[in-house]
Amino acid sequence: MSAPAKRGGVLRQPTVYDVAALAGVSRQTVSNVLNAPDIVKGATRERVEHAIKELGYRPHASARRLRTRKSSTIGIRLDPVTNGISGSVLDRFLHAVTEQADARRLRILLFTATDPEDEIRQFERLLDGADVDGFVLTSTTYDDPRTEWLIAQDAPFVTFGRPWGVDDMADGAHRWVDVDGRHGLAEATRSLLELGARRVAYLGWPSPSGTGDERRRGWREAMEAAPSPLDSATLDDLQLACEDGVSLASDAVRGLLARGVEFDGIVCASDSLALGALMVLGASVPIVGYDNTPVASAVGLPSVEQPLEQVAAAALELLLDDVADEPVLGDVASAGDPRHRLLRPQVVWR
Amino acid sequence: MSAPAKRGGVLRQPTVYDVAALAGVSRQTVSNVLNAPDIVKGATRERVEHAIKELGYRPHASARRLRTRKSSTIGIRLDPVTNGISGSVLDRFLHAVTEQADARRLRILLFTATDPEDEIRQFERLLDGADVDGFVLTSTTYDDPRTEWLIAQDAPFVTFGRPWGVDDMADGAHRWVDVDGRHGLAEATRSLLELGARRVAYLGWPSPSGTGDERRRGWREAMEAAPSPLDSATLDDLQLACEDGVSLASDAVRGLLARGVEFDGIVCASDSLALGALMVLGASVPIVGYDNTPVASAVGLPSVEQPLEQVAAAALELLLDDVADEPVLGDVASAGDPRHRLLRPQVVWR
DNA sequence: TCAGAAAGTTTGATCGTTCAAATTCTTGCA
DNA sequence: TGCAAGAATTTGAACGATCAAACTTTCTGA
């Protein structure tokens, strides 16, 4: 690459015309080499490719976007304030999405919003300005106003997280990727049972909570499927709920001890809760957290790890069917509903 | 706003022509209303503004960028993997930058890179494609190859973090914002001394470490300035160094105890280290961390908080002098070197 | 009152690319 | 050899905005 330095200087970036002139072809052929190499004759293509390298040519993104009416950019809202310890999950997800986007020649544009209404306003701004083609949403809620708006606008989007409204899950317009927390907790619970535990407690969030209820269900099902299952009342006793917070969790566990309920293991809906339990129980009882945050690894807590790279990849894949007009892959698509993807987490033992 | 819905449909977004037609003016006047309202006559302006609202017009970002040769976009690399507990700092910084950028009508584009060389390749790609106007860099190192490259290219950038190479700090081409960790640790140390401590230990990272050495210096200076200072040898004894990690920190503190060194307080270079100390010492000795991560607040550890919103604001301000050709503000600029900004952190007590 | 300056507005050109249609070059086969 | 069909390439136009310069209107002051 013998491209000139000094961007601030007079020398301008080469354009298709420059490349075309050097390679002795027309500008369109240069464009074709870049966008549809297969329709260009081998010899010509090589000549053009050489000229591109020679000049250090790179297509001007905005010009391309203007012409193609595609921004190849995806908007992601940065969540307001890292919500506690678990914040790092979205951070890691963001990282994974960015990497996956890169591989698909997409850009990631960040924005912030103070509340769902404000977020919708941002959607509008970014779509109208043709800044982005679509969105990846996180932290979905019951009857999320954002997804409703996007669907009404016919704007492409995917959510990380199932829609929790009753009918929404079947809605074909809503593409989502999620992690099967139920399976993750069932797995964690089964493992503790196999390790000899009999009375595994569950520390989660108050109902209703889409994510939380699923995780609790996973624990409960695994407990009910144990070789010698406990009765229903006992399971109710072993089931704790408090808001996400280390000290709240500690309180909850202390309450359990105070009530004299026996238990020999705890699976939790989050690492914050697990850390709270750990601070009360120490190493006396095996504890499993959720999200595999840096804190969990720091204090040596096993935790359910979400396959964020896969989530990111799946999210973009679903989105791309719209955005890039790429054909839906026959095989993959036919396996279940192609618009939804439920991935399995894995317990990381320590 | 009576803008039509259905983006996927046939109706296209209105353009300057549509607005011009409705308002009965030329397209350039519409452009002027948007970009230089003061040169348009009041009555005309109102008419155009009304038409803009009426049509729900929004300028096409790519078209504008193509013509103006500015992307109004700033690139930020997402750090590879959240490095331990402290990862949330960059996360919060990113959030602050995004918000600040929004207020300045700038966009934030994310990218990832595997190593500094790869990052430079990304710089090149993004600059050549006119995707971004400049960069905000984090995690600067000694003689950072990235800053050298950017300076050579004459590309606008700011770093969060001082350049640690010997001569670089005076380099006018390098604009940076940083937090005065020395001041932060001095402050923390002084506070512990005022609370009655006499032998405050320091738990930091091995030299050389630009950031770490500064923080240690803050502690040392505060200790030396104490009413009845300890002798130099004692201070050396009270000074611990280990890599950033909870268990490593625990080991280091246990070593201190084993050596029989007395101490009645610890200030740390990070929350990870502080957490490690906490797990050995419990509430027996006051501990101060650094970065005020969620973990610190979760376990009730006081910590030095970096003013990330201010850092973000300052960073964009410095960058904008280049990017947007805005005039340097006379007053602010004259106060010290306008190309560098050193901000003061604050201890959060719990 | 009127020239000249200033303010306000419009027109033509352009940013760098890709689309769509037109053109030229290759093939294969009667 | 000729000629249609296909492959390869080129040309003109357009994407939607702003710049630069030209033009028109309004203001200023002798």
Side-chain angles (χ1 to χ4, degrees):
Chain A
M1 248 193 287
S2 51
K6 278 286 169 191
R7 269 156 232 281
V10 193
L11 269 47
R12 71 186 209 313
Q13 283 287 115
T15 71
V16 264
Y17 285 90
D18 301 314
V19 177
L22 181 59
V25 297
S26 73
R27 59 183 201 288
Q28 182 62 39
T29 298
V30 177
S31 172
N32 286 337
V33 167
L34 260 45
N35 302 304
D38 44 308
I39 72 165
V40 180
K41 201 159 80 180
T44 316
R45 183 170 57 229
E46 278 172 29
R47 207 144 30 89
V48 172
E49 278 165 351
H50 187 267
I52 287 176
K53 267 218 182 96
E54 175 76 20
L55 296 174
Y57 165 78
R58 242 177 271 247
H60 191 288
S62 291
R64 167 179 281 173
R65 293 203 275 262
L66 172 59
R67 183 64 249 224
T68 59
R69 311 174 124 284
K70 287 195 177 146
S71 68
S72 300
T73 303
I74 309 246
I76 299 192
R77 161 170 150 266
L78 209 52
D79 275 286
V81 215
T82 307
N83 34 342
I85 287 177
S86 309
S88 78
V89 176
L90 288 172
D91 193 26
R92 276 163 51 209
F93 175 63
L94 186 62
H95 193 269
V97 170
T98 306
E99 270 187 341
Q100 292 290 336
D102 211 62
R104 290 173 170 71
R105 315 179 127 260
L106 292 174
R107 273 168 295 275
I108 295 294
L109 194 65
L110 285 188
F111 64 98
T112 57
T114 52
D115 53 72
E117 284 67 42
D118 185 36
E119 188 169 354
I120 288 175
R121 231 171 292 129
Q122 306 288 343
F123 289 162
E124 194 162 24
R125 181 174 65 88
L126 293 170
L127 285 171
D128 286 352
D131 269 313
V132 305
D133 291 333
F135 297 95
V136 172
L137 307 198
T138 55
S139 318
T140 49
T141 60
Y142 272 95
D143 297 319
D144 205 309
R146 303 173 301 164
T147 58
E148 284 172 27
W149 188 87
L150 288 168
I151 290 174
Q153 297 288 316
D154 202 22
F157 73 97
V158 205
T159 62
F160 172 17
R162 280 160 272 189
W164 296 107
V166 185
D167 299 329
D168 302 343
M169 236 170 95
D171 191 341
H174 186 161
R175 313 183 170 203
W176 54 260
V177 185
D178 206 354
V179 173
D180 192 349
R182 177 160 65 153
H183 180 267
L185 265 138
E187 203 60 40
T189 307
R190 272 194 292 273
S191 297
L192 289 186
L193 292 173
E194 278 168 23
L195 288 170
R198 285 215 48 218
R199 306 169 63 89
V200 178
Y202 172 75
L203 176 51
W205 307 309
S207 267
S209 148
T211 327
D213 295 349
E214 276 287 302
R215 293 182 190 174
R216 173 160 34 73
R217 201 164 301 143
W219 159 76
R220 186 121 189 172
E221 286 172 2
M223 289 301 283
E224 285 164 354
S228 45
L230 308 172
D231 62 90
S232 182
T234 311
L235 285 180
D236 288 346
D237 281 346
L238 286 170
Q239 172 181 320
L240 298 175
C242 69
E243 295 296 338
D244 203 58
V246 178
S247 54
L248 293 172
S250 293
D251 294 346
V253 171
R254 271 191 284 265
L256 189 65
L257 292 171
R259 285 199 302 282
V261 179
E262 284 178 43
F263 62 95
D264 47 15
I266 304 194
V267 291
C268 306
S270 80
D271 276 351
S272 306
L273 297 177
L275 182 59
L278 178 72
M279 296 192 89
V280 172
L281 303 170
S284 62
V285 172
I287 303 171
V288 183
Y290 198 103
D291 279 345
N292 196 26
T293 58
V295 185
S297 87
V299 301
L301 211 56
S303 190
V304 179
E305 157 114 326
Q306 306 203 42
L308 296 177
E309 287 75 18
Q310 288 177 47
V311 173
L316 291 183
E317 211 173 288
L318 291 181
L319 196 56
L320 238 54
D321 289 346
D322 262 359
V323 174
D325 271 342
E326 291 203 352
V328 179
L329 298 151
D331 298 355
V332 180
S334 57
D337 190 331
R339 297 159 187 281
H340 311 148
R341 213 65 73 80
L342 194 57
L343 301 170
R344 294 200 155 176
Q346 213 163 11
V347 187
V348 176
W349 295 99
R350 307 200 149 84
Chain B
M1 250 191 286
S2 51
K6 279 285 168 191
R7 269 154 231 283
V10 193
L11 269 49
R12 71 188 210 311
Q13 283 288 117
T15 71
V16 264
Y17 285 90
D18 301 313
V19 177
L22 181 59
V25 297
S26 72
R27 56 184 202 291
Q28 181 62 39
T29 298
V30 177
S31 172
N32 286 337
V33 167
L34 260 45
N35 301 305
D38 45 307
I39 71 165
V40 180
K41 200 159 79 181
T44 316
R45 183 170 56 230
E46 278 172 30
R47 209 143 30 89
V48 172
E49 278 166 352
H50 187 268
I52 288 176
K53 268 220 180 93
E54 176 74 20
L55 296 174
Y57 165 77
R58 242 177 272 247
H60 191 289
S62 292
R64 168 179 282 173
R65 294 204 274 263
L66 171 59
R67 184 65 249 231
T68 59
R69 309 174 127 284
K70 284 193 178 147
S71 69
S72 301
T73 303
I74 302 209
I76 298 192
R77 160 169 151 269
L78 208 53
D79 276 285
V81 216
T82 307
N83 32 344
I85 287 176
S86 308
S88 77
V89 176
L90 288 172
D91 193 27
R92 275 162 52 209
F93 175 63
L94 186 61
H95 193 271
V97 169
T98 306
E99 271 187 341
Q100 292 290 336
D102 211 64
R104 291 174 170 71
R105 315 181 127 258
L106 292 174
R107 272 167 294 276
I108 296 293
L109 194 65
L110 285 187
F111 63 99
T112 57
T114 51
D115 53 72
E117 284 68 41
D118 185 35
E119 188 168 354
I120 288 174
R121 230 170 293 132
Q122 305 290 343
F123 289 163
E124 195 163 23
R125 182 174 65 89
L126 292 170
L127 286 171
D128 286 352
D131 270 313
V132 305
D133 291 333
F135 297 94
V136 173
L137 307 199
T138 54
S139 318
T140 49
T141 60
Y142 273 97
D143 297 319
D144 205 310
R146 303 174 300 163
T147 58
E148 284 172 26
W149 187 87
L150 288 168
I151 290 174
Q153 296 288 316
D154 202 22
F157 73 97
V158 205
T159 63
F160 172 15
R162 281 160 271 189
W164 296 108
V166 185
D167 300 328
D168 302 343
M169 238 171 94
D171 191 341
H174 186 161
R175 314 184 169 203
W176 54 261
V177 184
D178 206 356
V179 173
D180 193 349
R182 175 159 67 154
H183 179 266
L185 264 136
E187 202 59 38
T189 307
R190 271 193 293 273
S191 296
L192 288 187
L193 291 173
E194 278 168 24
L195 288 171
R198 284 215 48 220
R199 306 170 61 89
V200 178
Y202 172 77
L203 176 51
W205 305 310
S207 266
S209 148
T211 327
D213 294 349
E214 276 285 303
R215 293 183 190 174
R216 173 162 33 73
R217 202 165 300 142
W219 159 77
R220 186 124 192 170
E221 286 173 4
M223 289 301 284
E224 285 165 356
S228 46
L230 308 173
D231 61 89
S232 182
T234 311
L235 286 180
D236 288 345
D237 280 347
L238 286 170
Q239 172 181 318
L240 298 174
C242 69
E243 295 296 338
D244 201 58
V246 176
S247 55
L248 293 171
S250 293
D251 293 346
V253 172
R254 272 190 284 264
L256 189 66
L257 292 170
R259 285 199 300 283
V261 180
E262 285 179 43
F263 61 95
D264 47 15
I266 305 192
V267 292
C268 306
S270 81
D271 276 352
S272 305
L273 297 176
L275 182 61
L278 179 72
M279 296 192 90
V280 172
L281 303 170
S284 63
V285 172
I287 303 170
V288 182
Y290 198 103
D291 277 347
N292 195 27
T293 57
V295 185
S297 88
V299 300
L301 211 56
S303 190
V304 179
E305 158 114 326
Q306 307 203 41
L308 295 177
E309 287 75 18
Q310 287 177 48
V311 173
L316 291 184
E317 211 173 288
L318 292 181
L319 196 56
L320 238 53
D321 290 346
D322 260 0
V323 173
D325 270 343
E326 291 202 352
V328 179
L329 297 149
D331 299 356
V332 180
S334 56
D337 190 329
R339 297 159 188 281
H340 310 149
R341 214 67 73 78
L342 194 58
L343 302 170
R344 294 198 157 178
Q346 213 163 11
V347 187
V348 176
W349 294 99
R350 304 201 151 86

